[in-house]
Amino acid sequence: MNSHTTYFVFGPTATLRRMSSKLFKEQQPKFLYEYSPEDSSETIYVAVYEEYEKQINSSVTLTCIIESSGKHNKIVLKKTGGRMGFRGSSLSEERNIEADVVDFILDFSKRHGLTLQEEKTSAEKGEE
C-alpha cells in the first residue's frame, strides 16, 4: 500500500506558475521552502501543513512537494502522523487539510482548463 499521492498538471506556463502561489495563499502552510536551480527554469516548493485533531489527541502532517517546470507541475502529497488502531482516526468526520489541498488542485485545474492526471502506483495497478 502506497502512502502518497502524485498528480501531474499540464497547461500553459503562466497558469502553472500561478497555481503554487495561489495554493500557498489560500492554504497557508506551517513551513514553506522554495528552491530554484540557477541552470534551469524549474522551481521546487516544499510545504508542510500541520493540524491537530483534538478528538483523537494527535497531530497530522501533510507534506506537499510541487515541482514546477515550464510544461507541467508534479504535485506529491504525503500524509503522516495520526493514530491508527482501536481508537483510530474514524472519529474525525470534519474536513482535513489533505482534502482541502486536493480540492484546491482539482478546482484550480478545472477552472483554468488544465489537464490533471493522477499517477497510479504499481500496488494500485495490481489491485485493479
Side-chain angles (χ1 to χ4, degrees):
M1 181 175 168
N2 208 350
S3 62
H4 72 276
T5 309
T6 305
Y7 295 99
F8 288 96
V9 183
F10 300 93
T13 304
T15 308
L16 292 174
R17 296 240 182 251
R18 196 170 57 230
M19 181 181 199
S20 56
S21 64
K22 291 282 281 184
L23 171 63
F24 301 140
K25 185 182 269 186
E26 242 181 67
Q27 301 291 330
Q28 297 237 339
K30 186 166 186 167
F31 301 102
L32 178 62
Y33 177 74
E34 179 181 347
Y35 174 70
S36 297
E38 294 178 12
D39 58 343
S40 74
S41 63
E42 186 176 61
T43 306
I44 300 171
Y45 301 95
V46 178
V48 178
Y49 298 93
E50 184 178 33
E51 67 181 357
Y52 180 72
E53 294 185 9
K54 190 173 183 178
Q55 289 180 330
I56 60 173
N57 193 24
S58 69
S59 178
V60 176
T61 304
L62 177 70
T63 303
C64 176
I65 302 169
I66 300 177
E67 297 175 19
S68 180
S69 68
K71 298 178 182 176
H72 71 278
N73 282 353
K74 178 181 177 183
I75 304 167
V76 180
L77 300 174
K78 171 80 172 155
K79 186 176 178 182
T80 57
R83 287 177 36 190
M84 302 302 284
F86 180 70
R87 294 193 64 188
S89 58
S90 62
L91 291 174
S92 62
E93 295 176 4
E94 57 209 41
R95 297 192 46 81
N96 59 13
I97 192 67
E98 183 180 24
D100 291 340
V101 171
V102 170
D103 283 349
F104 174 85
I105 293 168
L106 297 173
D107 184 53
F108 188 91
S109 299
K110 191 174 187 179
R111 280 189 292 124
H112 294 282
L114 303 175
T115 302
L116 179 70
Q117 178 182 2
E118 184 176 351
E119 183 181 61
K120 299 264 186 197
T121 60
S122 58
E124 291 174 350
K125 288 179 184 174
E127 291 175 2
E128 292 177 353

